[in-house]
Amino acid sequence: MKKLFMIRLENGNSVIAQAESEREALEFAGLDADLESVANDLKMDVPTAHWELVCCGLGPQNVTVRELHNVAVDVVLTNEGELEFRFGNIEEADDEIFEDYPALATTLDEIAG
């Protein structure tokens, strides 16, 4: 049975992936690339290639992975014609979603007041 995983990337962004396992979620998110091979393809040294991948949220990097249990996401079409994703049921899911973002969680708690 597939599960939902939230993967917090080194650049601060997150990816939510549905997969059978944590390993499969990392593969799906593009985080299992061979860094030396990527550096050769990009014709740059390994540290520079690593930084480029981290900036765009791909390739091997420091991540935290957590399985999500209570998640709802609203998909909103903006006036500019872009899709915007907003987490719903935030009261139930905030512990899971914001565990890697303690300052954001504190701010939201203060706003809710």
Side-chain angles (χ1 to χ4, degrees):
M1 178 192 319
K2 292 195 176 191
K3 305 170 188 174
L4 279 180
F5 294 94
M6 182 169 177
I7 305 164
R8 183 170 187 261
L9 307 174
E10 195 169 330
N11 67 8
N13 294 338
S14 293
V15 174
I16 296 177
Q18 184 179 24
E20 296 281 341
S21 66
E22 186 176 307
R23 178 80 229 140
E24 186 179 278
L26 292 169
E27 290 173 15
F28 179 73
L31 299 170
D32 65 337
D34 175 52
L35 191 52
E36 287 188 36
S37 175
V38 170
N40 287 334
D41 290 346
L42 296 175
K43 298 180 180 24
M44 57 181 60
D45 59 66
V46 172
T48 303
H50 177 252
W51 179 245
E52 291 292 323
L53 291 174
V54 167
C55 288
C56 65
L58 297 171
Q61 56 187 284
N62 294 318
V63 299
T64 57
V65 182
R66 124 178 21 271
E67 185 179 345
L68 298 177
H69 300 282
N70 298 311
V71 177
V73 178
D74 295 326
V75 181
V76 179
L77 182 61
T78 68
N79 291 339
E80 293 78 28
E82 297 177 357
L83 292 178
E84 185 176 293
F85 295 84
R86 300 177 188 158
F87 284 102
N89 295 335
I90 217 65
E91 295 81 20
E92 296 175 22
D94 66 353
D95 289 340
E96 289 183 296
I97 293 173
F98 295 113
E99 192 166 320
D100 290 322
Y101 301 94
L104 180 57
T106 301
T107 302
L108 290 172
D109 287 343
E110 290 174 5
I111 290 170

